[in-house]
Amino acid sequence: MNPSPYPRPFNSAHVRARIVKILLVTGAIVTGLSIFFEALTLAFPPPTEDQELAENPFGAVIVLFVFLFAVLSVLIYIATVVVFLMWLYRASDNLLAFNPWARPEYSPGWAVGWFFIPIANLFMPFRVVKEVWQKSGPPEEDFVVAPSLPATFTVWWVFWLLASFSGNISMRLSFNENVDESTATIVSIVAGTLSIIAALFAYLVVDAIDDKQEETARKIKLGNFAEPPPPPSNLQMPDTLAPAP
């Protein structure tokens, strides 16, 4: 079926992008604090089972902060994922508003769905984000070579995968009683550091796509509800229809 000659309504994803960026920065700060207190546990071990709390109050306080920041990090991470996917859905849905003949390879639903399919979620979400970036420009860009992807996109995805893998390993080690606590802590610090780097580059990715879509919307004068262009104003009435003098 041929696409409609009229653009679908454009709904700016700018507000969602701003919320995602705020959550990414907040999550990076909280993770950084969590890493700081985890590092302190290497120098000041938590109280042991045969040790009274009063004998090691500093270690107990550090463990408490580690736990609190760990819980806060998880909550912020969940919120970030939810809002990020909401933003990606909206940004993907806007591609047909920019160019009704663009025919995106991935629908907004699949733009989100690929994140939840095992194996495919290792590479398909990156391809989705790449397409959203490349097709967020004005219609004339489809008649030339697709714009090259900024290096920040690839760096973001590499660190996202590394952070995911290391985080999985860290979680497994934390539940393994045969693993030394210092080893598990070091792996957790590495995983947290990778996640901070991934969050910073994710910020740049979201910001780049958001800026490009907003610029395109201004350039082709899209409002919240795009309408067909008005008829030319310089048309002359045929002589046969002109009123008699």
Side-chain angles (χ1 to χ4, degrees):
M1 187 175 81
N2 293 329
S4 168
Y6 303 118
R8 73 166 55 185
F10 169 74
N11 295 299
S12 174
H14 184 62
V15 173
R16 298 185 183 186
R18 290 185 64 182
I19 297 174
V20 172
K21 292 188 291 185
I22 291 173
L23 288 172
L24 286 170
V25 173
T26 303
I29 294 174
V30 172
T31 302
L33 292 172
S34 179
I35 290 175
F36 171 74
F37 284 105
E38 281 187 298
L40 287 180
T41 62
L42 297 175
F44 304 95
T48 59
E49 294 181 358
D50 57 348
Q51 189 177 33
E52 294 292 337
L53 186 62
E55 298 178 12
N56 188 7
F58 193 62
V61 171
I62 292 175
V63 171
L64 177 61
F65 275 106
V66 169
F67 173 77
L68 293 177
F69 280 113
V71 172
L72 188 57
S73 295
V74 171
L75 295 177
I76 295 175
Y77 174 79
I78 294 174
T80 304
V81 169
V82 171
V83 182
F84 176 88
L85 294 179
M86 292 173 61
W87 163 79
L88 184 60
Y89 183 97
R90 174 71 59 82
S92 176
D93 191 52
N94 280 334
L95 297 185
L96 285 178
F98 299 142
N99 185 358
W101 297 275
R103 294 184 179 274
E105 185 176 355
Y106 309 105
S107 67
W110 276 111
V112 173
W114 284 121
F115 280 88
F116 301 96
I117 300 179
I119 306 302
N121 59 9
L122 298 178
F123 56 92
M124 291 302 296
F126 176 76
R127 296 180 61 177
V128 169
V129 173
K130 177 181 178 181
E131 180 182 63
V132 172
W133 157 260
Q134 291 181 329
K135 295 187 177 181
S136 288
E140 57 267 21
E141 283 192 0
D142 282 347
F143 297 97
V144 297
V145 178
S148 58
L149 196 68
T152 51
F153 283 63
T154 303
V155 176
W156 157 66
W157 191 246
V158 169
F159 276 99
W160 162 259
L161 292 178
L162 292 175
S164 299
F165 293 147
S166 59
N168 195 328
I169 294 173
S170 175
M171 183 177 64
R172 292 175 181 272
L173 292 179
S174 64
F175 290 105
N176 191 339
E177 297 180 354
N178 297 325
V179 177
D180 184 64
E181 289 187 5
S182 61
T183 301
T185 300
I186 293 174
V187 174
S188 178
I189 290 175
V190 172
T193 303
L194 291 173
S195 69
I196 290 176
I197 299 174
L200 295 178
F201 278 97
Y203 181 102
L204 298 177
V205 168
V206 174
D207 188 63
I209 293 177
D210 181 52
D211 285 347
K212 189 172 185 180
Q213 290 205 345
E214 292 298 305
E215 180 182 356
T216 299
R218 288 192 296 268
K219 184 178 296 185
I220 61 180
K221 299 179 180 180
L222 285 178
N224 287 333
F225 297 94
E227 299 179 354
S233 59
N234 58 350
L235 290 179
Q236 294 182 354
M237 184 179 297
D239 294 338
T240 58
L241 299 179

